[in-house]
Amino acid sequence: MFISNPRSLGGKRIFKTRAPKHASGTRAPPPPFRTRPCCRGLPGGRDRPEAKPHPGESGRAEPHRAGPSRAGPHRAGLSRAEPGRGGAGMGRGAAAAPPRAAGSTARGPSSSSSSSRGGGGGSAMQQHFSLADCEVVGFDLDHTLCRYHLPQSERLIYDSFAQYLVTEKGYDKGLLTLTPESLDFCCKGLVLDLEDGNFLKLAEDGTVLRASHGTRSMTSEEILEIYGRREWKHFSAVSGMLSRSGKYYLYDNYFDLPGALLCARVVDSLDQHDGQKKYDFWKDMVAAIQHNYKITAFKEECGMYFPEVKNHPDKYLQRCPESVKKWLKQLKSAGKILLLITSSHSDYCRLLCEYIIGNDFEEYFDIVITNALKPGFFSHTPNQRPFRTLENDEEQEALLSLDKPGWYSQGNAIHLYELLKKMTGKLDPKVVYFGDSMHSDIFPAHHYSNWETVFILEELLGDKVMVPAETESEPLEKKGKYEGRQPKAPYPISKQWGSFFMDRLPGLENAEETLVRTWSCKCISTYSTIAIPSLESIADLPLDYRFTRFSSNSSGTAGYYPSPPRALLTSEESVTMK
């Protein structure tokens, strides 16, 4: 999907694509992400930045039961920071894709569009996706299978970091005071420039759409003076997710966002008391993450986060809807192999799953993988990231191969796929993976493993989803529960940052022809098969429901279900008004 640069001509709105070109004159493909290395530890299991200095179907293998006991697998340090993927920087718009992990199969990364991915005879012109065509269905845990009460969980994460900064690092006690209105600052897709203390919202081409210094919004004049209308200086690195950068941090998921607010308030505090121009607080933020989410934190009840969630799970966790549990059983009954792949460690994973699904949650899945350390799970070789068994939540010896289904820790997608071949009896089983993080779930599963990907995007609710009657391609009896009605948003769109999907160019806010798509929005159609607001939104659909997928030869809004957000519908409709 190309970001549009609207121009006015004869009273009609014409959108001109802003995608850069190769020297040959052809459009350059969007630059791929690269993995960030990180300190282990954040709830939900994404990897986090370093301080740098910066069942039972016949013919399947028997389950492996030498793993964790019912006492539970070990969440040895939650991680939301992404383990390193390495890779060189990229030029504007056209970058070499990260190399395929050694030993990866023919289903490894492909330079083709999502419409040609996967087994089952898919063609480059394929426009639809169906779960019925997949032999394997995989899920992330946090914010995918496990939904959180966002205001409460965000406040808890904020407090756990702020308490450490104040008590252990001597930061201003004012950081401990937080009003509910302050959470309006939290918006996915922001980039923090660690040197300048500025938060940026980027367009698809890397130009700055909105910015703040600390929590203070910058004016259009300030943005144009500092950044102009050119690509931001670190955009090629950010869009490629270069490892070990101490110059920026990209906020990608709900576990990240409270940290963004805290960092912004730290900048405010340092400006007020010290008048700083350059900032060196990031190492203290990393220390706060490590303190709260280190390997032993759950067992030792270290920090604030784990003790609070363990004592009051109802305050922070949403139970899995009965429709979703029924849907999971339906998938198993249809012969699908179900995977749970989470970077959360086993003890926290068990806490979450027992609360949201029930004590029998293991019966829903053929394979459970904890401490997966995504995205490295997809990009690393078996030698770099072997599977390990678990005993009483402790990781045991490394495995030379993965021979049976069961519960494992760490691991890699290459050995997993070899097991899936054995379990399905197919040379090229088709896998679909559901996740909420573009950087840890969607991109690496798409790029390294060539899996179908379903992006869980709650922002589809906040952006007032609309269902145009003319786009209906399925009979009414196959409609999902969210089609034709307006689901309630988890909370409103950020007033400070605006839509996750679209925005106007700074300095031209009053000209309606200046709408452009955000970089985050472009990534969705580039790396996702489809995007949905929640599992519940598709749980009532038949397994053979045909979703219209994102693809290079269709509208950039086609893959959103139940329909595109209003901001994108407005722009797509405008394209046709030529």
Side-chain angles (χ1 to χ4, degrees), residues 190-255:
L190 301 182
V191 180
L192 168 59
D193 187 322
L194 293 167
E195 296 176 324
D196 300 331
N198 294 343
F199 288 81
L200 312 176
K201 180 182 182 182
L202 300 175
E204 175 266 351
D205 65 352
T207 56
V208 177
L209 294 172
R210 300 195 192 197
S212 72
H213 179 71
T215 62
R216 181 188 66 82
S217 293
M218 298 170 63
T219 65
S220 295
E221 291 74 19
E222 289 176 307
I223 294 173
L224 292 173
E225 179 181 354
I226 297 173
Y227 301 108
R229 298 198 188 281
R230 59 187 177 274
E231 180 185 286
W232 180 53
K233 60 184 178 180
H234 296 308
F235 181 66
S236 62
V238 169
S239 60
M241 294 309 300
L242 289 178
S243 63
R244 300 185 182 278
S245 174
K247 296 183 178 181
Y248 60 83
Y249 186 71
L250 177 62
Y251 289 91
D252 167 56
N253 56 74
Y254 287 122
F255 280 121

Side-chain angles (χ1 to χ4, degrees), residues 140-417:
D140 176 42
L141 178 57
D142 296 88
H143 295 288
T144 299
L145 271 175
C146 178
R147 304 280 295 283
Y148 287 76
H149 297 298
L150 291 176
Q152 292 84 356
S153 64
E154 286 182 330
R155 180 60 193 259
L156 174 59
I157 294 170
Y158 177 94
D159 288 345
S160 68
F161 294 162
Q163 185 69 36
Y164 180 87
L165 291 184
V166 172
T167 60
E168 301 296 329
K169 298 296 182 179
Y171 281 76
D172 194 317
K173 292 183 178 180
L175 295 175
L176 299 176
T177 303
L178 184 70
T179 63
E181 294 75 19
S182 300
L183 292 173
D184 179 72
F185 185 86
C186 297
C187 179
K188 280 196 261 183
L190 301 182
V191 180
L192 168 59
D193 187 322
L194 293 167
E195 296 176 324
D196 300 331
N198 294 343
F199 288 81
L200 312 176
K201 180 182 182 182
L202 300 175
E204 175 266 351
D205 65 352
T207 56
V208 177
L209 294 172
R210 300 195 192 197
S212 72
H213 179 71
T215 62
R216 181 188 66 82
S217 293
M218 298 170 63
T219 65
S220 295
E221 291 74 19
E222 289 176 307
I223 294 173
L224 292 173
E225 179 181 354
I226 297 173
Y227 301 108
R229 298 198 188 281
R230 59 187 177 274
E231 180 185 286
W232 180 53
K233 60 184 178 180
H234 296 308
F235 181 66
S236 62
V238 169
S239 60
M241 294 309 300
L242 289 178
S243 63
R244 300 185 182 278
S245 174
K247 296 183 178 181
Y248 60 83
Y249 186 71
L250 177 62
Y251 289 91
D252 167 56
N253 56 74
Y254 287 122
F255 280 121
D256 276 341
L257 299 186
L261 174 58
L262 180 57
C263 286
R265 298 191 69 201
V266 166
V267 170
D268 293 345
S269 177
L270 294 175
D271 286 348
Q272 178 180 357
H273 298 291
D274 303 326
Q276 291 186 222
K277 298 300 181 182
K278 298 294 179 181
Y279 303 88
D280 190 32
F281 60 83
W282 189 243
K283 64 181 185 300
D284 295 330
M285 279 296 298
V286 172
I289 294 170
Q290 291 173 327
H291 172 73
N292 281 276
Y293 309 122
K294 61 186 178 181
I295 290 176
T296 59
F298 186 93
K299 183 179 295 185
E300 297 175 355
E301 299 202 352
C302 180
M304 293 181 61
Y305 183 85
F306 288 135
E308 180 66 14
V309 175
K310 289 164 73 172
N311 291 329
H312 306 285
D314 57 314
K315 182 177 179 181
Y316 303 102
L317 308 177
Q318 300 184 39
R319 294 191 184 274
C320 188
E322 288 300 318
S323 61
V324 174
K325 295 166 67 173
K326 180 181 178 182
W327 177 67
L328 294 175
K329 292 179 180 179
Q330 183 183 8
L331 289 168
K332 290 292 289 290
S333 297
K336 311 300 181 184
I337 295 173
L338 266 61
L339 314 175
L340 179 60
I341 308 175
T342 175
S343 294
S344 293
H345 286 259
S346 52
D347 45 14
Y348 187 63
C349 172
R350 183 174 293 280
L351 171 70
L352 296 184
C353 289
E354 287 185 346
Y355 181 81
I356 68 169
I357 297 177
N359 294 335
D360 63 342
F361 76 92
E362 291 183 64
E363 298 178 7
Y364 286 80
F365 304 99
D366 296 275
I367 301 172
V368 176
I369 302 169
T370 51
N371 192 25
L373 297 174
K374 297 173 293 182
F377 177 86
F378 296 101
S379 63
H380 282 35
T381 66
N383 288 336
Q384 292 172 311
R385 187 68 60 73
F387 279 96
R388 295 179 181 273
T389 58
L390 286 161
E391 185 175 338
N392 295 324
D393 288 341
E394 299 291 342
E395 291 182 346
Q396 303 300 305
E397 73 281 0
L399 302 176
L400 297 179
S401 63
L402 196 62
D403 300 322
K404 298 180 181 181
W407 193 322
Y408 298 92
S409 186
Q410 297 195 41
N412 60 88
I414 296 173
H415 274 172
L416 173 61
Y417 197 69

Side-chain angles (χ1 to χ4, degrees), residues 440-456:
S440 296
D441 298 319
I442 303 304
F443 168 75
H446 164 99
H447 179 77
Y448 292 105
S449 297
N450 206 26
W451 291 357
E452 301 280 10
T453 53
V454 179
F455 191 30
I456 304 298

